[in-house]
Structure formats: structure tokens, C-alpha cells
Amino acid sequence: MNMKNELYPAVNVHHFEVDGRWFLLDGDTGYFCEETKLTKKIIEMLPCTLEDMREKLSHDYTVEEIEQEYQDIKKAYEDKVIGYKNPSLYQGVDIKEEDWLNSKVLLNLWLNVSNDCNMRCIYCFEHGGDYGKTKKIMSIDKIKDCIDYWYKYLNKDAKDIYVIFFGGEPLLNKKGIKYAVEYVRELLKKHNIRSHFSITSNATLLDEDFAEFLVENKIPITISIDGGRDIQNKNRPLASGANSFGIVNKNVQQLMKIRKNLTARVTLVHEDVGHLVDIVKDLWEMGFGQVQYDLVSTEDPQLKITEEDLVTIEEQVKIIADMMYENVIHDQWKVLRNLTKIVDCVNFPVWDLTGCSYYAPYTIMVDPTGEIYKCQRLMDEEYCTGDIYNGIKWNKFYLKKPINEECETCWVKSICGAGCPQVRLMNTGDINKNSKLWCDHVKIITNEALKFYAKLYMYNPEIFEELRQVNE
């Protein structure tokens, strides 16, 4: 085809400006780069022919400049740097039940070692830790059976596997966690597989002995805490009704004597959105290196986040991003993990949904009775996909996400990875229908993360390259 008549297709790109310089993120490939104003204008004109470009842009640019920029964009498209729509991005790769059963697929294990909790957080989706079921601690025998089932179907050619301890409050079962770590490592000795463990805990039961166990075994722990004293005590009381901040702070400070750079996980409720900056600052000052917040997932109108709240959240995140930038360039890793997670994804998009277990067949989640689920937030009976004694029900376990037209044209899709099924269900009543609020929030966070990343590129290239090398 004659180049001047060639109709070049539209590209799904997000443009943003930082201090007078323009950057782009390709929504299909996750590619990030600086761009010229001419690049931006041409991409915004697509689909169009080169002849159209010449006619509309010749007042500001020479024919040679337009043709050269056009050729550069065309080559990027042909090299799949921009505009490449990978069909597996949302639906994942095709997996056969035979391959799963022949140990070619499964990687990770979530052990819900405790269907009980010693706190009564005001927004808990776990109904006080028991998920609406009988309170139960996973026995050592049950833990062994769970691990044996997982190991039977584990892909023995994997390089890395992850075992996550969850609850309820998992530290109600310290003995079980210690046994699981030892047993998994024993099983993997004969294979060249790196094992990784992690725990999310409210820290109220974190004693010196268990802290030393975490450090000795290099197990990261994420602490669920909603901020300083007032907010923590309001949102996360103990089961007795007593305040929790004092004991959590005491235990965290003890752990920080031997383990640095802990992560705090915040659940953000409607009443607290205007205090997000203070929440993050308080947690940084407590010694947490990384703070991550999640919007509360609830139907309670007093707690749930509104579209109006997103305006305030965006203002707060902008302030936090500026503070974070100053921290990082002064060699202090005090960050908002919501932003650095996006940076991790830039140029490395989530191609097969391994980040979300609901639509990916690489992870099993097992409750204290041995029932298998796909998501720690969806552990009602209708989402049970089998059990460790009778196996999985493939038609319930292996789920293909429906094609969503909104996602297809969204510039943040290579980073978002299709969103959270439980959030969709909570906000829309349909597990396959997008939540506008959730999508809008992801765009706010992504935009601020990209601006942070671009500032490092512009003014601190050595830090920018360090982050890229960590990703690579």
C-alpha cells in the first residue's frame, strides 16, 4: 500500500505532562516513554493517513518531520511496543484440566490457617474472621493434608512458589505456620524451586519468639493497621471492645528492632478519606517503609467510598506523591505502595492475570476444613471449587473472564489487570460488571504514579534506572 494512503490504526495511549514535558503510557502494552508534541498530535489524530497528517500539521511542522515521526510510530507498532493487543491479557492463557492434573500449572498456596480473629474491625468482610462459618483453627494434620494436595499437583519445574498465610488472624495459629514453613521446605529440597512465604496480620499477637521466627526464615509480614491512635482505635477495636493501637504499636516497634522496612496495609473508609495524608505520615513516622491503602469493600453506607470521595482522595494522593518523591531522592524508602506497585508494572504488564487468583489457575486457597476457593474475599459456599480430599471441580475452578468492551478501550488496562471480582460484586451486584468507582480510583493512582516515575526519569535518572533494574 502507498504510504501516503495507508490508514494507520488508533493507539490506546494515555498522555500526561510533567513540568512542560510530555510522556505516554500505552494501555495495551504498558510501554512508557517521553514523547514530543508532534508524537502526541499524530497519535491523537489516529486513525488517519499520512496524507491527512501532512495536511493538518504542515502549518507547524515540515513534511520531513511529519514523515519521520510517522515512520517511528509505525515501527513501534510493528515491533509490538505500542498498539499490540495481547488476547491473553484479560482472559489469560488457555489451560487444560489434564495439564493441571499432571502438575504443569499449579504454583501457589494460600492457607487460611484461622477462621477466627481477636479483633472486630468495623468493616470486616470476614464476619469477624470466620467468613460466616464456624470459627475454626486449622489443625497440624489438616495443614499437612493441604500441603500434600498442593504438592501433588504443583508444577515441579517452577522456579518460584508462594505460600501465603491468611485468616481471620493467622497468628492465632503460630504453631501451624511454623510447621507449614518447615514442611514445605522439606518437600521442595529435591527440587530447584525457591519458596517464598508471607503473612498478613493485625500484629496484636506478634511476640518476640514469632518475630525472630519471621526474621530467621526471611518471611515478610504485612501489618493491617489503619493509621495513628485515633483512627486505629475507631476502626479496629479488639473483640473485647478495647482499643488496639497500644498493643499493635508496641509489638510493631519490637519487630522493627530486628526487621526494617515493614509494610502497613490500611483500609480506607468514607470518614477518613480527608485524613489520608495524615494516616500515611503517621505510619511512616511509626517506622513503616511502605504503606498501602485499599478502599473499603462494603455495602454499609456509613463506610463505603463515594465518587465524591475520589476528588478528595486524588488531592491527598498528589500531596503524598510529592512527599514520597522527596523521601526517595533523599534515600529514604518511605513510600505509598499503591504508587510504587504501578511503577513496578510499567513496561512489565500483567499479561496473564497471575496477580488475581480468581481468574487464574495458578493458586489454590484452602480453608480450615480443606475446602478450596479462588479468592480470599469470596469464601462463601457458592464459590467453593472443591476440597483437598475429592479434588477440584474444573468447571468452577477454571474461570475465563468475559471480554469487557470498557476494558478493551481503557488506557490503564495493562496495569489494572482486569480489576477485582469481589469489588465488582460488592459495588455492582455482578461479578463480571466493572465498578466505575474502582476504575476511576485506579486511574487516579496510575496517573500520579506515572508522574512520580517521570520526575525520576527527568531529574534523578540514576534512581529511575535502579527501579528499572529491580523490575528487570
Side-chain angles (χ1 to χ4, degrees), residues 199-215:
I199 300 174
T200 298
S201 169
N202 63 36
T204 57
L205 302 173
L206 182 60
D207 55 29
E208 184 177 347
D209 175 73
F210 199 77
E212 290 177 353
F213 166 79
L214 294 175
V215 173

Side-chain angles (χ1 to χ4, degrees), residues 38 54 75 177 208 211 220 228 240 300 303 317 324 359 379 421 430 438 472:
L38 178 55
R54 288 171 177 163
K75 186 176 187 307
I177 293 172
E208 184 177 347
S240 65
D300 188 332
L303 300 176
V317 170
M324 185 176 96
Y359 287 114
M379 299 189 82
D430 185 341
W438 193 89
E472 292 169 353

Side-chain angles (χ1 to χ4, degrees), residues 320-335 451-464 466-467:
I320 295 169
D322 287 340
M323 295 190 304
M324 185 176 96
Y325 176 77
E326 291 299 319
N327 290 344
V328 170
I329 67 173
H330 290 99
D331 201 27
Q332 296 182 50
W333 194 250
K334 301 284 187 181
V335 300
K451 289 179 178 179
F452 165 78
Y453 197 44
K455 284 177 69 175
L456 291 178
Y457 168 84
M458 293 163 59
Y459 304 122
N460 309 93
E462 69 288 349
I463 300 176
F464 175 85
E466 284 178 15
L467 290 177

Side-chain angles (χ1 to χ4, degrees), residues 119 204 232-233 236-238 242-249:
M119 298 186 76
T204 57
Q232 170 72 5
N233 289 337
R236 301 178 60 83
L238 297 174
N243 292 334
S244 63
F245 178 81
I247 184 64
V248 172
N249 184 45

Side-chain angles (χ1 to χ4, degrees), residues 59-315:
H59 294 294
D60 299 313
Y61 302 93
T62 67
V63 171
E64 290 76 16
E65 288 173 326
I66 296 169
E67 290 185 353
Q68 182 60 56
E69 196 68 47
Y70 172 83
Q71 288 294 349
D72 290 344
I73 294 173
K74 182 179 179 181
K75 186 176 187 307
Y77 192 95
E78 291 170 347
D79 291 343
K80 299 182 179 180
V81 173
I82 62 173
Y84 174 60
K85 298 181 185 296
N86 189 317
S88 70
L89 179 56
Y90 289 103
Q91 291 205 303
V93 296
D94 289 325
I95 302 293
K96 296 179 180 178
E97 181 178 11
E98 178 184 359
D99 289 336
W100 201 94
L101 294 174
N102 287 329
S103 303
K104 296 180 180 179
V105 179
L106 182 61
L107 299 174
N108 310 314
L109 172 65
W110 281 61
L111 282 176
N112 192 345
V113 294
S114 168
N115 261 17
D116 197 1
C117 188
N118 62 335
M119 298 186 76
R120 292 297 179 267
C121 302
I122 61 175
Y123 43 69
C124 184
F125 64 83
E126 300 169 6
H127 307 283
D130 61 16
Y131 296 87
K133 304 175 184 179
T134 303
K135 296 184 183 299
K136 189 176 182 66
I137 302 296
M138 187 179 281
S139 68
I140 296 295
D141 288 343
K142 189 72 69 177
I143 289 173
K144 182 181 185 302
D145 289 346
C146 290
I147 294 173
D148 286 341
Y149 177 86
W150 165 76
Y151 180 74
K152 177 181 178 180
Y153 296 107
L154 174 68
N155 179 359
K156 309 302 191 300
D157 294 324
K159 294 181 179 179
D160 296 90
I161 61 91
Y162 293 83
V163 177
I164 296 94
F165 300 105
F166 206 73
E169 171 48 45
L171 266 59
L172 285 167
N173 197 355
K174 297 174 187 173
K175 183 178 179 181
I177 293 172
K178 290 181 177 180
Y179 170 81
V181 171
E182 181 180 357
Y183 188 48
V184 167
R185 285 184 170 157
E186 182 66 30
L187 289 175
L188 296 183
K189 274 185 177 179
K190 64 187 77 171
H191 307 284
N192 188 27
I193 303 175
R194 293 183 293 265
S195 58
H196 307 269
F197 302 89
S198 65
I199 300 174
T200 298
S201 169
N202 63 36
T204 57
L205 302 173
L206 182 60
D207 55 29
E208 184 177 347
D209 175 73
F210 199 77
E212 290 177 353
F213 166 79
L214 294 175
V215 173
E216 289 171 2
N217 287 277
K218 299 179 180 179
I219 300 175
I221 182 170
T222 296
I223 307 298
S224 295
I225 179 172
D226 282 359
R229 184 178 302 277
D230 292 342
I231 289 178
Q232 170 72 5
N233 289 337
K234 170 177 68 73
N235 291 354
R236 301 178 60 83
L238 297 174
S240 65
N243 292 334
S244 63
F245 178 81
I247 184 64
V248 172
N249 184 45
K250 172 179 172 291
N251 292 344
V252 166
Q253 296 307 317
Q254 282 295 118
L255 177 59
M256 286 180 180
K257 291 179 181 178
I258 55 176
R259 161 71 65 79
K260 303 298 182 185
N261 197 29
L262 292 181
T263 298
R265 182 199 174 277
V266 173
T267 298
L268 189 65
V269 300
H270 167 72
E271 184 180 0
D272 299 333
V273 294
H275 304 291
L276 184 57
V277 171
D278 293 331
I279 288 171
V280 173
K281 287 173 66 176
D282 286 345
L283 294 171
W284 282 346
E285 289 172 4
M286 282 180 64
F288 288 100
Q290 300 187 110
V291 178
Q292 169 163 334
Y293 75 87
D294 290 312
L295 304 185
V296 66
S297 183
T298 180
E299 296 176 333
D300 188 332
Q302 301 298 315
L303 300 176
K304 69 188 304 182
I305 302 298
T306 66
E307 285 286 347
E308 291 75 20
D309 289 335
L310 292 185
V311 176
T312 303
I313 290 173
E314 183 171 15
E315 294 169 349

